[in-house]
Amino acid sequence: MKKNNLKFWFFLAPALLCFLVVVIIPIIVGFFYSLTDWNGLNVNCGFVGLKNFIDIFTRDSGFLNSLKFTIGVSFFSVILTNAIGLVLAILVTKKFKGSKFLKSIFFMPNLIGGLLLGFAWKFIFTEIFSSISKLTGLTFLNEWLGTTETGFFGLIIVNVWQLSGYMMIIYVAQLQQIPYSAKESAKIDGAGKVQTFLKITFPLLMPAFTIGVFLSIANSFKMFDQNISLTNGVPYHSTQMLALNIYNTAFTNNEFGLAQAKSIIFLIIIASIGLTQLLITKKKEVEM
Amino acid sequence: MKNLNHKKKFKINKLFLTFFGFILAAIYLLPIYILLINSFKTQKGFFENILSIPNKETFTVENYKNAFLKLNFLRSFLNSFAITIISVFFILLFSTMAAWILVRTKTKTSKVIFCLLSISILIPFQSTMLPLLMVFKKIKLLNPIGLIIIYIGFGVSFSIFILHGFIKNIPKELEEAAAIDGCGFFQLFFRIIIPLLKTALIFVSVLNVIWIWNDFLLPSVVLTDQKWKTLPLMTYNFFGEYSKNWDLATAALFICITPIIIFYSWAQKYIVSGMTKWSIK
């Protein structure tokens, strides 16, 4: 037993050690710094109690605006990426010529980093959209990314374009694990195509929903690269998501203490949304 | 006759699916296509018509030459390459060890550790960033080595989470048989487990490579020395300077995308097959 214990910790140690040093300890240290007026330049900083936390909800309206904006973008992104991901998955699991090729095309946007994607789409939204608008007279294509609304939709479009292929792969994996016999027996029992999908395939897909929704929530909430390259908060910080807001609080305003307090709230929000979702969808999973 | 009709219907269905699929694929590829045609145009051609393919007068490769130089491509490519490879190697080694022992040890501690690691996928980098920077600055690790350590720390939790799902599928009997044959613990790990996990390991490394190769935030705050700048950092600086020169910028985008597309054409079959073998539970 003792030898087993030693083995256990020996195999776990390298990963756990890095994880502790890089993730856990900084979070704990960060908690203390969130109670100070740390400006990032000198190490000495004064204790201010809960002032930073109170400021976030009373003086600094930027954070709350970013929170609202982030929730909005994430809400639509999560629904759309998973819905489109599922449609793509159903499409590519039908055996037809080129389905494999399509699978790799749909996944491809994931390879391009958020930063490059943001810049690429900025080009499309500003240059291409406005030239199409000039050609066709569609005024809603004009001045994209110049307003809060277009920035909002822009971020959602980019996020969905990137993540739906990722979700597709997750749903493909689960679809392939559904035994053919389950669908076949439903057919024999007289179930139509739609009914089979709703009553058999859909419930059996639940584990994939759990993972898909979980990963898309995590990805959308934490979105930073796409945000800084696509809108960078323009106009007037109104399209600034939480991650970018924290980044700017620290590196533009040099308010490290305040930024740390924000990041703790950020962490709590993400963790509680993610965990609630896990609990809800896990309950709905059926054993195969 | 009925059968024939059925077959015909089936064929039309397939035809429709193929058609629908390729329309969708075209939509997915359209942005990339538009970037590509503009990257080969002179600035004049760019202003004349942004939607057309370059013609004889407007075609140029000058953009690529310029962007290549401005990005300091060779240097920044090698920086990105070295950082990615080293980080991914250690992430794979450490997380395979951890995931295996976590699957094989059925104790409460093991379960709790696995749960904690899985949940930590949610932790945003921002909440550890500032204290981490302060500490790493003090111990003089604001350099590629520090960056690699951070990647390992952030990468292991997700990788363990994925690998756990694969290792569960390896029958225990196989390991027991090997143990009876006198196979030691380390031998078992390196000779039996690692080879069995080939697809899984490639799958996990692909996910990590994509993430680390493209990452912007971490190197932007950790790498202070100009000579270690990675490709995404150079791209960001580049866009700061040439944000209105889209002819040059589109070429730069393509230069950055190309290595990862080449990598993908090799790795794509492992992404799908890896995902299929992974048990979501």
Side-chain angles (χ1 to χ4, degrees), chain A residues 25-49 51-53 55 246-264, chain B residues 125-138 142 221:
Chain A
I25 295 173
I27 287 184
I28 297 167
V29 174
F31 183 72
F32 289 104
Y33 274 103
S34 70
L35 304 172
T36 67
D37 59 2
W38 184 27
N39 63 10
L41 302 172
N42 50 358
V43 189
N44 302 325
C45 42
F47 181 78
V48 294
K51 181 176 173 292
N52 289 328
F53 289 93
D55 278 357
I246 293 169
Y247 179 87
N248 283 336
T249 309
F251 296 110
T252 312
N253 305 347
N254 278 326
E255 294 178 283
F256 275 48
L258 184 64
Q260 192 56 40
K262 286 179 175 181
S263 74
I264 286 173
Chain B
F125 175 61
Q126 278 79 10
S127 52
T128 72
M129 174 173 73
L130 302 175
L132 199 63
L133 283 180
M134 186 191 66
V135 175
F136 272 49
K137 193 175 182 182
K138 242 188 222 160
L142 288 186
V221 290

Side-chain angles (χ1 to χ4, degrees), chain A residues 7 95 111 164 176 222, chain B residues 14 28 50 121 185 214 276:
Chain A
K7 252 190 271 175
K95 297 263 175 298
L111 304 169
S164 50
Q176 287 175 343
K222 294 198 278 190
Chain B
K14 287 235 148 142
Y28 267 75
I50 206 166
I121 295 170
F185 206 67
N214 289 317
T276 316

Side-chain angles (χ1 to χ4, degrees), chain A residues 213-232:
Chain A
V213 175
F214 180 76
L215 288 179
S216 52
I217 287 179
N219 268 321
S220 310
F221 258 86
K222 294 198 278 190
M223 187 159 44
F224 176 83
D225 295 1
Q226 290 91 329
N227 196 190
I228 199 173
S229 55
L230 191 72
T231 70
N232 200 10

Side-chain angles (χ1 to χ4, degrees), chain B residues 135-154:
Chain B
V135 175
F136 272 49
K137 193 175 182 182
K138 242 188 222 160
I139 53 176
K140 302 229 163 12
L141 270 180
L142 288 186
N143 55 33
I145 296 173
L147 184 63
I148 290 168
I149 294 174
I150 300 177
Y151 278 136
I152 298 171
F154 263 92

Side-chain angles (χ1 to χ4, degrees), chain B residues 69-96:
Chain B
L69 289 175
K70 299 248 160 66
L71 284 171
N72 198 358
F73 181 77
L74 276 183
R75 177 76 208 201
S76 41
F77 174 83
L78 285 177
N79 286 342
S80 281
F81 189 76
I83 288 170
T84 308
I85 293 287
I86 298 169
S87 308
V88 171
F89 173 77
F90 283 107
I91 290 175
L92 281 187
L93 180 67
F94 292 172
S95 44
T96 316

Side-chain angles (χ1 to χ4, degrees), chain A residues 187-199:
Chain A
K187 212 174 175 184
I188 291 166
D189 288 346
K193 263 193 177 159
V194 179
Q195 224 177 351
T196 314
F197 182 78
L198 288 178
K199 294 273 160 70

